C-alpha cells in the first residue's frame, strides 16, 4: 500500500478540517465554485469524481462482463437492499427520531422536512462513488459496472413512485436532467474513456503496460477523493458552524441507517457465500446514496433553504467518512469470504 492508502483516515480527516476552515475563510471562492453547476450537478465535483472513477473503468474487461449473469446472487442482494428494504428503513428511522425521540427539540414542520430529506436519500442508491468504494475494496470492476447499470435503469422507473408513496406526495417531478446527466458523467463517459485506454494499452500485447498504468493512476484517484471532501465540506462550512446541533440530530439516524443497512447486506452476503470482490461492492451500493439526485429533488419540492434540502446535504457530509470506515472494515474482514 502507498502512503495515501495507508493513512487514508488521516488524509480524509485533514481534508474535512481544511474544507471547513477554507470555506469560512474564503466563502466567496467556494460560492463561485458551487455556482459552476448544470442541472444541480456541480461540474468541479464531477471532475474530481471522474478522476476517482476512471482508474477502475480502465480495469473493466468486456469479455468478462457477459459472465456476470452466471453469478446472479450479488445482483439479487443489491436490488433487494436498494428497493425493498433501504427506502422503508430510512422512512421508519426518520419518523422514529423526529416524531418520537427528538420531538421536544424539533418543531413539527421542520421535523416533516427532515424526514422528507432522509426519505429522498433512501430512495436514491449510489451511481458514482460506488466505483471508488469498489476499487478501494478490490471489487470486481465488471460485476460492479453491471450492478450500477441495473440500478440506474430501475431508478429511472422506481424513484418517483416510491418517493411519492413514502412522502405522501403524488406530483413528484423527477429532475430528469440531473438523473441523466449524472449517469452520463459518472458512468458513460468514464466507461468509454476506460475502454479506449484499455484497448490502446492492450494493443501492444503486453499486459504489464495495463498494470503499470493503473498503478500510476492510484494516487490521482485518492487525490480526487480528498479534493471532493474539501469541496463538499467547504460548500457547507457556514452551515456546519452555524447549525451544529441540527446537523448532529440529522446525522444520528443517517449513521444508524448507513451502518445498519451495511450490516444487514454484509451478513446476507456472507450467508449467500458470495466472493469478497462481489460482496463488498454489493453492500457499498446498498449503503451509499446518489446525493446529487436527492439534493435536486429536495430543492425542487421544498426549496433551497428547507429542512429537506439540509437533510440531504447532511447525508453528503456523513457519507464519505462513514463509507471509508466501511471500506476499512470490509478490507479487514476479507477472510470471512471465499475467493
Amino acid at each position: 500500500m502507498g502512503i495515501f492508502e495507508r493513512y487514508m483516515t488521516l488524509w480524509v480527516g485533514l481534508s474535512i478540517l481544511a474544507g471547513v476552515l477554507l470555506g469560512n475563510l474564503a466563502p466567496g471562492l467556494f460560492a463561485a465554485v458551487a455556482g459552476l453547476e448544470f442541472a444541480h450537478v456541480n461540474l468541479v465535483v464531477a471532475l474530481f469524481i471522474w478522476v476517482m472513477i476512471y482508474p477502475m473503468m480502465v480495469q473493466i474487461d468486456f469479455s468478462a462482463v457477459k459472465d456476470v449473469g452466471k453469478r446472479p446472487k450479488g445482483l439479487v442482494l443489491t436490488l433487494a437492499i436498494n428497493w425493498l428494504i433501504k427506502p422503508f428503513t430510512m422512512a421508519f428511522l426518520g419518523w422514529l427520531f423526529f416524531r418520537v425521540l427528538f420531538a421536544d427539540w424539533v418543531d413539527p414542520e421542520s421535523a416533516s422536512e427532515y424526514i422528507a430529506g432522509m426519505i429522498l436519500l433512501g430512495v436514491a442508491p449510489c451511481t458514482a462513488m460506488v466505483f471508488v468504494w469498489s476499487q478501494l475494496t478490490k471489487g470486481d470492476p465488471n460485476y460492479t459496472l453491471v450492478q450500477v447499470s441495473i440500478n440506474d435503469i430501475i431508478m429511472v422507473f422506481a424513484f418517483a413512485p416510491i418517493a411519492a408513496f413514502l412522502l405522501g406526495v403524488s406530483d413528484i417531478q423527477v429532475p430528469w436532467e440531473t438523473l441523466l446527466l449524472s449517469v452520463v458523467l459518472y458512468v458513460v463517459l468514464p466507461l468509454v474513456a476506460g475502454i479506449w485506454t484499455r484497448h490502446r494499452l492492450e494493443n501492444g500485447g503486453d499486459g504489464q503496460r495495463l498494470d503499470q498504468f493503473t498503478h500510476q493512476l492510484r494516487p490521482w484517484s485518492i487525490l480526487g477523493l480528498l479534493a471532493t471532501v474539501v469541496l463538499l465540506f467547504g460548500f457547507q462550512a457556514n452551515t456546519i458552524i452555524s447549525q451544529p446541533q441540527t446537523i448532529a440530530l440529522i446525522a444520528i439516524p443517517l449513521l444508524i441507517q448507513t451502518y445498519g443497512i451495511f450490516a444487514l447486506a454484509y451478513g446476507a452476503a456472507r450467508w449467500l457465500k458470495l466472493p469478497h470482490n462481489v460482496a463488498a461492492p454489493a453492500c457499498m451500493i446498498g449503503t451509499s446514496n446518489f446525493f446529487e439526485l436527492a439534493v435536486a429533488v429536495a430543492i425542487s419540492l421544498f426549496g433551497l433553504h428547507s429542512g429537506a434540502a439540509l437533510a440531504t446535504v447532511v447525508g453528503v457530509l456523513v457519507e464519505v467518512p462513514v463509507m471509508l470506515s466501511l471500506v476499512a472494515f470490509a478490507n479487514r474482514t476479507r477472510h470471512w469470504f471465499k475467493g
Side-chain angles (χ1 to χ4, degrees), residues 49-63 65 131 141-142 145 184-203 209-211 213-214 217:
I49 292 178
W50 207 90
V51 171
M52 289 186 278
I53 293 173
Y54 172 65
M56 184 171 186
M57 293 303 192
V58 175
Q59 299 175 50
I60 291 174
D61 181 4
F62 267 84
S63 64
V65 168
F131 289 111
N142 305 307
L145 174 65
V184 170
L185 281 179
Y186 301 145
V187 180
V188 177
L189 288 182
L191 178 60
V192 170
I195 293 171
W196 180 82
T197 304
R198 185 183 182 95
H199 177 72
R200 290 292 300 271
L201 292 172
E202 288 182 336
N203 266 351
R209 291 178 61 195
L210 179 61
D211 293 338
F213 182 74
T214 54
L217 286 178

Side-chain angles (χ1 to χ4, degrees), residues 210-223:
L210 179 61
D211 293 338
Q212 290 171 354
F213 182 74
T214 54
H215 180 73
Q216 292 170 354
L217 286 178
R218 284 188 66 83
W220 291 102
S221 182
I222 303 300
L223 284 173

Side-chain angles (χ1 to χ4, degrees), residues 30-339:
F30 280 86
V33 175
L36 299 174
E37 66 172 32
F38 178 77
H40 298 289
V41 176
N42 186 273
L43 301 181
V44 180
V45 172
L47 174 63
F48 289 138
I49 292 178
W50 207 90
V51 171
M52 289 186 278
I53 293 173
Y54 172 65
M56 184 171 186
M57 293 303 192
V58 175
Q59 299 175 50
I60 291 174
D61 181 4
F62 267 84
S63 64
V65 168
K66 63 180 183 297
D67 296 328
V68 168
K70 299 175 183 177
R71 299 175 292 162
K73 290 182 180 179
L75 293 172
V76 172
L77 174 63
T78 300
L79 297 179
I81 293 293
N82 277 346
W83 302 107
L84 300 180
I85 298 175
K86 181 181 174 182
F88 304 97
T89 57
M90 185 73 94
F92 171 74
L93 286 173
W95 171 84
L96 176 64
F97 277 87
F98 288 106
R99 294 299 187 199
V100 181
L101 301 179
F102 296 161
D104 293 336
W105 299 333
V106 180
D107 65 87
E109 182 178 354
S110 296
S112 297
E113 292 189 351
Y114 297 154
I115 294 170
M118 290 177 60
I119 289 172
L120 292 173
L121 283 170
V123 185
C126 188
T127 290
M129 292 297 288
V130 69
F131 289 111
V132 180
W133 314 137
S134 179
Q135 182 181 10
L136 292 174
T137 55
K138 296 181 174 62
D140 183 335
N142 305 307
Y143 209 100
T144 302
L145 174 65
V146 174
Q147 287 175 311
V148 170
S149 300
I150 293 176
N151 268 288
D152 286 347
I153 292 171
I154 293 176
M155 185 158 48
V156 169
F157 299 99
F159 177 86
I162 294 178
F165 171 73
L166 292 175
L167 291 174
V169 179
S170 59
D171 59 346
I172 285 184
Q173 298 295 316
V174 177
W176 294 109
E177 284 186 341
T178 301
L179 179 56
L180 297 177
L181 178 62
S182 296
V183 171
V184 170
L185 281 179
Y186 301 145
V187 180
V188 177
L189 288 182
L191 178 60
V192 170
I195 293 171
W196 180 82
T197 304
R198 185 183 182 95
H199 177 72
R200 290 292 300 271
L201 292 172
E202 288 182 336
N203 266 351
D206 183 3
Q208 289 186 347
R209 291 178 61 195
L210 179 61
D211 293 338
Q212 290 171 354
F213 182 74
T214 54
H215 180 73
Q216 292 170 354
L217 286 178
R218 284 188 66 83
W220 291 102
S221 182
I222 303 300
L223 284 173
L225 172 61
L226 298 180
T228 302
V229 172
V230 172
L231 280 183
L232 293 179
F233 279 82
F235 291 157
Q236 304 301 328
N238 183 61
T239 303
I240 293 171
I241 298 300
S242 62
Q243 302 184 54
Q245 179 179 345
T246 301
I247 290 175
L249 292 179
I250 297 172
I252 290 172
L254 290 179
L255 288 170
I256 293 173
Q257 163 80 0
T258 303
Y259 285 115
I261 287 293
F262 179 84
L264 176 63
Y266 211 59
R270 192 179 181 193
W271 177 72
L272 290 169
K273 299 181 179 179
L274 297 178
H276 187 269
N277 65 352
V278 171
C283 298
M284 298 297 171
I285 294 174
T287 305
S288 54
N289 303 303
F290 186 177
F291 53 81
E292 293 92 346
L293 179 61
V295 171
V297 176
I299 291 173
S300 66
L301 287 178
F302 300 97
L304 178 62
H305 302 290
S306 65
L310 178 61
T312 57
V313 168
V314 174
V316 176
L317 301 180
V318 167
E319 176 158 320
V320 174
V322 170
M323 292 305 297
L324 284 171
S325 73
L326 294 176
V327 164
F329 177 81
N331 286 331
R332 286 197 301 268
T333 56
R334 189 180 305 274
H335 61 281
W336 289 4
F337 297 82
K338 65 180 182 178

